Amino acid sequence: LILADPIAPAALELAADVPLIIGSDREEMAAFTLMWDPHANAMTSKDLPGRLRPYLGDDTARVIAGYQRLHPDFTPWDLYTLITADTPTRINSIRIADARNAHVAAPTFMYRVDWQTPVFGGIMKAPHGLEVPLAFRNVEEDAGLNGGGADAFALSDRVSDAWIAFARTDQPDTPTLAWPAYTAAARSTMLFDRQCHVEGDPGKAERLLLESLHGD
């Protein structure tokens, strides 16, 4: 049961002593969008406003312009998949982490999955749920999502080792992969990819743009 908004005082108090791993995939909505429209990856710049308006409402034009400035080489599909991952999923994960950092003693650990699945020629990129079979070492069982290749197995070892360490010790550090807690100052984020590493405030410009829309 979710008793309150995750950043409401009652919810924060409920989990005040519970460490948390929170994060997202770099292109959260890609697979869902292709399920609804198998040719969505061929969208044009003219298609973007109509496709993004359900997510962004009156802020659609401003967000598109901002992301185009930040990523001038991106295709319309690239822009769509990044924007629909950053809002609402990634920006809300950041809001929860920031609220916990300000009001909760237990640590929070932030991640983003940047590894892109090769299935269907790579058009799904890093879609929603990609990390779940990796964390549970079910790569072969979910090869339809991750491709079942050596890259997927190698990444699964890194992800699952971190999740196991967290379950055992409340810290996701492993002997080969240090993962510091998230703070509002450093915004340390584990980026799971072919080369996993921690980065401070990845996607900062996009975060600031989305936060400005809501007065955060």
Side-chain angles (χ1 to χ4, degrees):
L1 298 177
I2 299 176
L3 303 180
D5 186 292
I7 60 175
L12 292 172
E13 181 180 352
L14 183 67
D17 60 347
V18 180
L20 174 70
I21 290 179
I22 191 169
S24 59
D25 300 282
R26 193 166 187 267
E27 289 94 7
E28 284 278 344
M29 292 300 295
F32 292 125
T33 302
L34 289 165
M35 184 173 16
W36 302 325
D37 178 2
H39 304 291
N41 61 303
M43 67 176 64
T44 67
S45 296
K46 291 183 178 179
D47 297 329
L48 273 179
R51 289 182 176 272
L52 289 172
R53 185 165 292 278
Y55 297 92
L56 300 168
D58 293 341
D59 295 316
T60 299
R62 181 180 170 190
V63 172
I64 291 174
Y67 274 71
Q68 286 175 330
R69 285 193 299 272
L70 294 169
H71 304 283
D73 298 330
F74 273 26
T75 68
W77 175 241
D78 294 336
L79 289 169
Y80 172 88
T81 54
L82 184 58
I83 291 170
T84 54
D86 284 350
T87 181
T89 305
R90 176 155 171 76
I91 195 65
N92 282 339
S93 296
I94 292 171
R95 289 191 179 110
I96 292 170
D98 283 343
R100 282 177 53 88
N101 186 242
H103 301 290
V104 171
T108 302
F109 301 90
M110 175 71 74
Y111 72 89
R112 190 180 72 194
V113 178
D114 287 1
W115 184 82
Q116 301 198 347
T117 177
V119 300
F120 301 122
I123 62 173
M124 287 201 308
K125 300 176 178 288
H128 179 78
L130 182 61
E131 72 274 39
V132 175
L134 302 181
F136 287 98
R137 297 194 181 187
N138 289 332
V139 174
E140 185 174 355
E141 292 82 354
D142 207 15
L145 177 62
N146 59 58
D151 274 357
F153 278 98
L155 183 58
S156 178
D157 286 343
R158 308 303 296 274
V159 175
S160 61
D161 282 351
W163 257 245
I164 290 168
F166 181 71
R168 286 175 172 167
T169 70
D170 292 342
Q171 301 282 335
D173 287 334
T174 71
T176 60
L177 194 63
W179 185 348
Y182 179 95
T183 65
R187 299 185 184 276
S188 299
T189 303
M190 177 63 71
L191 301 181
F192 286 112
D193 206 338
R194 283 171 176 81
Q195 296 295 325
C196 302
H197 68 282
V198 172
E199 186 173 319
D201 204 4
K204 177 180 178 179
E206 294 89 339
R207 174 181 64 80
L208 292 174
L209 171 60
L210 295 176
E211 287 179 347
S212 73
L213 303 178
H214 303 278
D216 292 346

